[in-house]
Amino acid sequence: QVQLVESGGGSVQAGGSLRLSCAASGSIDSIDGMGWYRQTPGNQRALVATMTSSGNTNYADSVKGRFTISRGIVKNTWNLQMNGLKPEDTAVYYCTADRIDTGGDTLFGFRGQGTQVTVTS
């Protein structure tokens, strides 16, 4: 069974940095469409950053130049480095994977349980 687990959330003052990590567990051959989304109460989940298996990245305009999505050193992990954090970045952050190939099966649409990021002014 494939699962995504986030880590690295917490509370930080404005201007500070946090690094979120996502680990995909299970019998995984490959992952495509790794990403991060965030959600605040009463709002829909919003894209933060995505990365294809070939390394192409896409960022929300609000985080460009401050956040960086990257593969982790450990296989099937990816990170979100968040610098210059602002109070409006406060949200629950979810890691996502569009497509995961596992031992002959292709599965779609994975999301972690979420991790809280709070930025205080």
Side-chain angles (χ1 to χ4, degrees), residues 36-38 44-50 58-63:
W36 292 92
Y37 285 70
R38 64 188 182 186
Q44 291 186 332
R45 205 171 313 130
L47 178 146
V48 176
T50 60
N58 181 48
Y59 296 93
D61 287 343
S62 59
V63 307

Side-chain angles (χ1 to χ4, degrees), residues 41-82:
N43 293 307
Q44 291 186 332
R45 205 171 313 130
L47 178 146
V48 176
T50 60
M51 181 173 62
T52 66
S53 57
S54 59
N56 293 319
T57 58
N58 181 48
Y59 296 93
D61 287 343
S62 59
V63 307
K64 283 180 181 176
R66 299 189 297 124
F67 291 11
T68 302
I69 186 172
S70 64
R71 287 184 181 276
I73 296 174
V74 176
K75 186 181 179 182
N76 299 330
T77 65
W78 56 101
N79 304 313
L80 184 69
Q81 178 66 42
M82 304 185 294

